[in-house]
Every structure is written in C-alpha cells, then in structure tokens.
Amino acid sequence: MKKHRLFLGLAFVFGSLGLSSCYDEPEFDLAPTLTFRDIEQRTLRNPQNVIYDSLILVVRFQDGDGDLGLSETIFPQDIQPPFSSRDPYFNNIFCNIYKKVNGQYERVLYPGTTPLVFHSRFPRVSTIERQEPLEGDIRYSLNIFDNPRDSFYPLRAGDTIRFDVKILDRSHNESPTVTTSEVILFSKQ
C-alpha cells in the first residue's frame, strides 16, 4: 500500500511539473511599456474647508525583467546613488500636467516659467530578486487643491486638464509616455 501511495505521489509531482513546463512566460521588452486605463476623480473638502480633487491615474505596465519600483525600507540600495534624493533617478514615475487653453493643451507653469509636475516614486512591484516578466496596473494618486486666493496659481475650478505619464525602471529604461483622458477640475462633488 505504501508503494502505491509513493508512486501516486511521485506521479502527481511529475505530472504537475509537466503541466507547469507547458506554460510559456510572456515575452515583454526590457524597457517598460504603459497603456492608459483610467483616471478616477473625486472632488472633496478637507477639514479646513478647502476643495480639492483626489485623482487616481491608472496605467497598465509590462516589463520584461520585472525591475520596476523603488522600496528603500526593504531594499536600502533603493535610496543610494543613483536613486538618492539628489540624483536624477530618485523618481520613477513622471507626471506632467496640461491645461486646455483655447482648444489646445498647454503645459501648466507655476509661477511663470516653472512647470507644475507630479513626479514621485512607486514601490517595487516584485520583491523577488530574480528577473521575470511582469504585467499589472499602477494606481497613482495625487491631489490638486482649489486655490482661488493665490492669483499666481495656474489652475481654477472648471479648467480642463490632462496628464502625460511615463515610468522608469531600476535599469534606467524609460517607458513611452502615455496621455490620460481629460478631467474638468472640481466638477465631481
């Protein structure tokens, strides 16, 4: 009876290995690719009675070696050069904002000639230290506040905006830029 159980157990293991070897891993470029999926908007009011838009940009990524994200709490090297706060690779998601003016989109500048940007970091997508193709969604959250008292602030209620988004992997490969759909500020109350 023990021989039958052992044989059955081994047959199950080898059968499982055979089934898993039939699965082909997807082949993605080593540089990440992005596809815009959605932009979620909620207009809210904070305890100080200031209106703001809570926006979540959703982009789909594919990456051939899975080296996306930076997580300095788990991986101390993710805050060391070239990823330290003084280095050009500190941020791994780059988000530029555009406003529709006379039917054309223009880069939002604040004040005067400084571009208003929402660059940041997202955490490692995989904490496994091996190269593997990865695919999934990044949900990037940002807030835009209504600031009617600041005459230099370039965004007002009713403005139509959109974003250009790109990401960077730890090997410094840059994704193509994707453009979001448009949003009318402070309109989802």
Side-chain angles (χ1 to χ4, degrees):
M1 189 69 167
K2 284 188 177 185
K3 282 185 179 182
H4 290 313
R5 285 187 192 163
L6 179 62
F7 177 73
L8 188 59
L10 287 174
F12 178 74
V13 168
F14 287 123
S16 296
L17 289 174
L19 287 175
S20 67
S21 67
C22 294
Y23 173 73
D24 291 328
E25 283 190 349
E27 290 187 28
F28 302 137
D29 287 338
L30 293 180
T33 60
L34 287 183
T35 307
F36 171 69
R37 295 199 49 154
D38 194 18
I39 186 167
E40 300 169 14
Q41 176 189 18
R42 288 183 45 201
T43 301
L44 304 167
R45 191 177 298 270
N46 70 11
Q48 291 76 31
N49 206 28
V50 176
I51 295 172
Y52 67 100
D53 266 349
S54 171
L55 302 173
I56 299 174
L57 312 180
V58 183
V59 291
R60 184 90 176 153
F61 70 85
Q62 293 179 336
D63 188 62
D65 58 3
D67 65 340
L68 290 176
L70 296 164
S71 299
E72 64 268 11
T73 55
I74 300 172
F75 298 93
Q77 67 268 28
D78 287 357
I79 198 68
Q80 301 300 318
F83 305 115
S84 74
S85 62
R86 294 178 301 278
D87 290 314
Y89 300 110
F90 176 74
N91 292 312
N92 59 7
I93 187 164
F94 300 88
C95 187
N96 296 314
I97 184 170
Y98 296 82
K99 178 170 72 170
K100 191 182 274 188
V101 178
N102 297 324
Q104 301 293 318
Y105 278 99
E106 297 178 358
R107 186 87 182 264
V108 176
L109 304 176
Y110 177 79
T113 60
T114 305
L116 183 61
V117 297
F118 292 92
H119 303 340
S120 192
R121 291 166 67 107
F122 62 91
R124 285 194 183 215
V125 174
S126 174
T127 56
I128 298 171
E129 284 289 341
R130 70 170 184 253
Q131 291 187 351
E132 62 183 349
L134 293 176
E135 181 176 26
D137 288 341
I138 296 172
R139 296 175 55 83
Y140 180 54
S141 176
L142 57 98
N143 294 326
I144 297 177
F145 289 85
D146 187 14
N147 200 352
R149 292 186 193 116
D150 183 352
S151 61
F152 294 107
Y153 192 67
L155 298 173
R156 301 279 179 234
D159 283 348
T160 301
I161 62 167
R162 68 167 174 79
F163 298 90
D164 281 352
V165 181
K166 68 181 176 181
I167 62 173
L168 197 67
D169 67 17
R170 290 189 300 278
S171 300
H172 310 157
N173 294 314
E174 190 176 293
S175 76
T177 300
V178 295
T179 301
T180 70
S181 56
E182 57 186 38
V183 169
I184 299 172
L185 285 177
F186 317 118
S187 64
K188 298 286 183 176
Q189 295 187 34

